[in-house]
Amino acid sequence: MRSASLIALGLAAVLATTSLSGCRAGSTTPPGDAAVLDLVTRTGSYSQRAQILTDAENHLIADCMHAQHLPYVIPPAASPTTTPGSANDLASRSRIGYGLYQQYASKTPDGGPAAQPGSNDYYLAHLPEPEQRRYRTALRGDDTDRAGLKLGTGQQIAYPRHGCEPQARQRLYGDLVVDAQITYIPQNVNQAATVQQQQDSRYRAVLAQWSDCMATGGQRYATPADVRARLDARYRADGPSDALRQQEINLAVQDARCADRVHLDATALKILRADTRHIPPADWRELQRLTAAWLKAVTIAQRVAAR
């Protein structure tokens, strides 16, 4: 196995400078390896559980906002995350490619994403400024009232302490610090592990096969990210068009088929999960602690949904 030092740094550096304020996620039976790896790599059960948490949070926010006689539209549940190379993934790519055309076609003149009619953002954007401030304060508290979390990477995380949104998260996670830790620490570990995974000789060999497969379409790409980056540059330079949309769809479908043919995603995930599991024991225990808190929050979210 490759050295786990980079993976360990991804966690240890975060933990060393995170302001815990004496808070822990609680003492419970450590979760199994699979659940920890799901949280860190955002695979397996992650998408389903994340959606349960999101739905519960939105319902709790709506209850809180409605109690203050303010509207809050519960967003529709997101479509389940598709497995790369699956029939659902290919069907999605055949319709929207990577979703870049939709992204650029819906932007406002200043380059920002357009709020959809009927959404909370749309409602807020059309309120007079004093009412906008009242709505934002009810949702996330005063802009000056923020708690901070410093990560080992030097990144500063600020999050609201009062308002309906943090109140909902407090209900689910029991503590806002724990919520922030679950959001950012596994993510940092995943990023460090991904760096190693991309250097792994097994992954690079399969990636070369994927690149050869993509070259049959007339252009050579180094990685799947390279395909998206080039398309993104075209959209930024030329703007959305039907021709570019069709090119995006064609490339997205070819990308998925080539990845499936050489088992690119399966190889990447196998290496990522294996390398993540071999971080130092103390760091693994910290991930178990956060995973236990995450699973407990999912259980609370399910109770919210069953009301």
Side-chain angles (χ1 to χ4, degrees):
M1 196 202 86
R2 296 175 61 84
S3 168
S5 59
L6 285 178
I7 301 175
L9 283 173
L11 178 60
V14 173
L15 294 174
T17 57
T18 299
S19 298
L20 302 183
S21 303
C23 297
R24 305 290 290 179
S27 176
T28 59
T29 301
D33 289 1
V36 178
L37 293 172
D38 286 353
L39 177 60
V40 173
T41 62
R42 300 196 170 191
T43 57
S45 67
Y46 177 83
S47 293
Q48 180 182 7
R49 286 170 169 156
Q51 189 60 56
I52 291 171
L53 285 163
T54 298
D55 291 345
E57 181 180 323
N58 280 320
H59 278 85
L60 291 171
I61 292 172
D63 290 346
C64 176
M65 295 293 281
H66 295 163
Q68 299 177 65
H69 307 290
L70 292 170
Y72 186 86
V73 178
I74 297 175
S79 301
T81 301
T82 57
T83 302
S86 67
N88 288 338
D89 182 41
L90 284 172
S92 173
R93 292 190 179 206
S94 297
R95 293 193 310 274
I96 64 170
Y98 298 112
L100 293 173
Y101 175 85
Q102 291 180 319
Q103 174 186 326
Y104 279 91
S106 64
K107 282 190 173 182
T108 59
D110 63 1
Q116 297 299 311
S119 68
N120 295 307
D121 288 341
Y122 187 88
Y123 171 79
L124 181 61
H126 290 78
L127 288 176
E129 180 55 33
E131 292 184 41
Q132 284 189 20
R133 286 197 300 271
R134 176 176 175 246
Y135 191 93
R136 286 195 295 264
T137 300
L139 185 61
R140 298 191 181 99
D142 189 275
D143 288 342
T144 62
D145 184 19
R146 295 289 186 267
L149 201 64
K150 184 179 180 180
L151 304 183
T153 57
Q155 183 183 10
Q156 295 277 357
I157 305 300
Y159 55 90
R161 298 192 301 167
H162 299 98
C164 290
E165 187 177 284
Q167 181 178 312
R169 292 177 179 173
Q170 178 89 25
R171 169 84 177 276
L172 293 172
Y173 294 95
D175 186 276
L176 293 175
V177 174
V178 171
D179 172 32
Q181 289 175 319
I182 291 171
T183 299
Y184 292 102
I185 291 178
Q187 176 178 292
N188 275 267
V189 176
N190 185 37
Q191 289 171 351
T194 299
V195 169
Q196 281 204 343
Q197 169 247 302
Q198 292 175 345
Q199 301 301 317
D200 190 287
S201 59
R202 294 166 295 175
Y203 176 74
R204 297 185 71 83
V206 174
L207 185 63
Q209 296 174 34
W210 171 89
S211 183
D212 289 342
C213 177
M214 290 294 291
T216 61
Q219 295 189 63
R220 181 167 288 278
Y221 299 91
T223 66
D226 186 27
V227 183
R228 298 180 189 232
R230 290 199 213 175
L231 284 167
D232 189 69
R234 288 279 308 281
Y235 276 113
R236 283 188 279 109
D238 304 332
S241 67
D242 289 342
L244 188 51
R245 174 179 176 272
Q246 189 58 54
Q247 183 182 2
E248 175 192 345
I249 289 173
N250 293 344
L251 282 170
V253 169
Q254 184 184 4
D255 172 11
R257 286 176 173 161
C258 287
D260 183 52
R261 183 177 303 169
V262 303
H263 308 295
L264 179 65
D265 298 297
T267 300
L269 181 56
K270 181 179 179 180
I271 296 168
L272 183 64
R273 289 176 75 96
D275 281 359
T276 301
R277 180 60 189 90
H278 288 87
I279 65 175
D283 292 346
W284 184 258
R285 286 193 294 273
E286 281 295 339
L287 290 175
Q288 286 182 314
R289 177 180 72 85
L290 295 177
T291 303
W294 177 57
L295 295 176
K296 182 178 180 181
V298 172
T299 299
I300 294 171
Q302 289 171 325
R303 291 175 190 155
V304 170
R307 294 180 307 177

